[in-house]
Structures are given as C-alpha cells and as structure tokens.
C-alpha cells in the first residue's frame, strides 16, 4: 500500500475477513506521516457501511490516537463550508455509502489525499447513484478494502479495479468481451492467467 501510494496508484486490499485490513489501513495513515510533514497531507475520506462507522472510530482511537477523526453522520452533521472546515482540520473523515450521494456537493469540493472504500463490494453495480457519486470524488490515492472482491461475476472485480485505477481494465463492455465471457462461459485458463497478471500488482489477497 505504501509503495502504490508513493506513485499515486490505487490498490485493493482483499485479504480474507479477520486478517486485519483495518489495522493495515491505519498503519498506512501513520506511515505516511513519518515520511511527510503532517500539514502537507490532506485528509483521507473513509466510506463504509453505517454498521461499521463506529468501529472505524474506535479502532482509530485505539491504534492511532494521534490522528484527528471526524465521523460525518446524523442530522446535525456539518454541511457546505462548515464541512470543508471540519475536513481540513481532520486526518480522517468517516462517512457512509448512503451519505456520499446525499453530501456529494460538498464532499467533492474538498481536496482529499485518498478515498478508502471499506466493504468495497458495495460499488459492484457501477451505474448506481451511490457508485457514481463515489467515483466522482477526486483524490490522489484510492484504496478498496474487501474480503470478497468477486462474489458472483468478474464484472464485480472490474468495478472495484475501475474505482482504484480508473480506465486500467478498459470500458466494462470491452472487459466483458476480453475476459469475463471467455473465463466464465468458456473456462479459458489463458485469459484467466492474463487477467491475474494484470491485476496482481494492485491486489493483495491472502486467505486464512
């Protein structure tokens, strides 16, 4: 993650559940602050399901108490210029998938160091309003965290990779023609290996 970050490349941390994706992400946030002055690092936007937003806050407080964390949630959450001010004063802004499309206008106005998607399978359907809002957020670095990068179809992998590295696997229709159909329908092992080699440098997948 640090290597990809150095070159402004996105990546997918796809370790099995329970292997510490949260801790690895927190370690990256700490690591970059040992390499650059804190004031030169823009905030990270952490997008997650509502059910784990509190967990992110607790884990950040436990393992990285030096990081300033803001949870953007609830009816009293800051909006507009107030949100921009809070984001500027934070190291990590935690928000939910549901709120990204609702708060899109002011989220897009902030300069983000990175956007992190926890349980990134939430964007496996690219045309949704939520996925479109997330893809529109500009940042220097993008990271997807998911224990299930492919659940049913290879286009789910395309969706996650297109978030991490926009355009890297080409348009979705082209990806289906080149990889998804030959691999899923015809069990084309050569295409499978080729796809594996393409995404390999940007995906870390470890099993229990």
């Amino acid at each position: 993650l640090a290597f990809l970050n150095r070159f402004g490349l996105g990546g997918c941390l796809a370790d099995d559940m329970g292997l510490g994706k949260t801790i690895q992400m927190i370690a990256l946030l700490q690591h970059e602050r040992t390499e650059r002055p804190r004031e030169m690092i823009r905030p990270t936007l952490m997008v997650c399901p509502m059910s784990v937003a509190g967990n992110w806050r607790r884990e950040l407080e436990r393992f990285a108490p030096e990081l300033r964390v803001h949870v953007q949630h609830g009816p009293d959450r800051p909006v507009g210029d107030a949100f921009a001010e809070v984001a500027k004063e934070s190291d990590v802004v935690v928000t939910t998938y549901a709120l990204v499309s609702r708060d899109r206008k002011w989220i897009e106005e902030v300069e983000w160091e990175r956007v992190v998607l926890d349980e990134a399978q939430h964007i496996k359907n690219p045309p949704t309003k939520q996925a479109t809002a997330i893809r529109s957020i500009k940042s220097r670095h993008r990271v997807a965290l998911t224990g299930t990068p492919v659940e049913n179809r290879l286009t789910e992998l395309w969706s996650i990779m297109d978030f991490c590295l926009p355009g890297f696997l080409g348009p979705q229709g082209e990806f289906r023609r080149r990889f998804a159909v030959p691999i899923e329908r015809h069990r084309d092992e050569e295409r499978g290996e080729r796809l594996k080699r393409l995404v390999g440098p940007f995906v870390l997948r470890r099993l229990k």
Side-chain angles (χ1 to χ4, degrees):
L1 285 174
F3 174 82
L4 294 173
N5 181 43
R6 198 171 304 134
F7 294 98
L9 297 168
C12 176
L13 186 52
D15 284 350
D16 242 357
M17 204 170 112
L19 291 182
K21 293 186 289 294
T22 302
I23 301 299
Q24 291 175 74
M25 195 62 240
I26 293 171
L28 177 67
L29 294 168
Q30 292 179 312
H31 172 74
E32 69 185 347
R33 283 161 177 77
T34 66
E35 295 203 316
R36 285 189 287 156
R38 188 172 188 155
E39 60 275 9
M40 286 180 64
I41 303 170
R42 295 178 294 195
T44 284
L45 180 68
M46 175 70 60
V47 185
C48 63
M50 190 184 146
S51 57
V52 297
N55 185 61
W56 271 103
R57 185 208 285 272
R58 285 190 298 275
E59 297 292 87
L60 283 157
E61 286 173 354
R62 181 182 173 194
F63 293 105
E66 75 281 6
L67 296 180
R68 299 162 298 179
V69 181
H70 167 69
V71 178
Q72 176 73 354
H73 184 64
D76 298 328
R77 68 188 185 279
V79 297
D81 291 343
F83 174 75
E85 280 303 309
V86 167
K88 201 165 68 176
E89 295 302 315
S90 303
D91 294 305
V92 184
V93 174
V94 180
T95 192
T96 66
Y97 283 98
L99 278 179
V100 167
S101 49
R102 238 178 284 170
D103 292 355
R104 177 176 177 175
K105 189 179 173 188
W106 37 89
I107 286 176
E108 283 182 346
E109 288 174 4
V110 175
E111 290 189 354
W112 301 100
E113 185 72 24
R114 75 173 51 76
V115 178
V116 180
L117 302 187
D118 188 19
E119 299 191 22
Q121 63 272 18
H122 278 74
I123 61 154
K124 66 184 181 184
N125 299 317
T128 63
K129 192 176 174 186
Q130 193 171 272
T132 305
I134 286 166
R135 289 168 196 281
S136 73
I137 301 167
K138 290 182 172 57
S139 66
R140 204 185 65 80
H141 187 216
R142 289 177 165 193
V143 180
L145 310 178
T146 175
T148 52
V150 180
E151 288 180 293
N152 301 305
R153 295 184 178 83
L154 273 176
T155 47
E156 294 167 4
L157 176 66
W158 177 88
S159 187
I160 288 169
M161 293 307 296
D162 199 60
F163 162 75
C164 298
L165 295 158
F168 178 65
L169 291 177
Q172 190 179 22
E174 175 73 5
F175 175 82
R176 279 186 53 75
R177 188 185 65 76
R178 284 180 65 204
F179 294 109
V181 172
I183 294 167
E184 292 172 349
R185 203 174 291 170
H186 308 301
R187 300 282 182 256
D188 190 325
E189 290 183 14
E190 187 195 335
R191 294 285 175 102
E193 280 304 312
R194 197 186 306 172
L195 178 59
K196 211 171 174 180
R197 285 197 301 272
L198 267 176
V199 302
F202 308 102
V203 178
L204 180 61
R205 172 74 170 162
R206 294 178 293 192
L207 307 175
K208 278 184 180 175

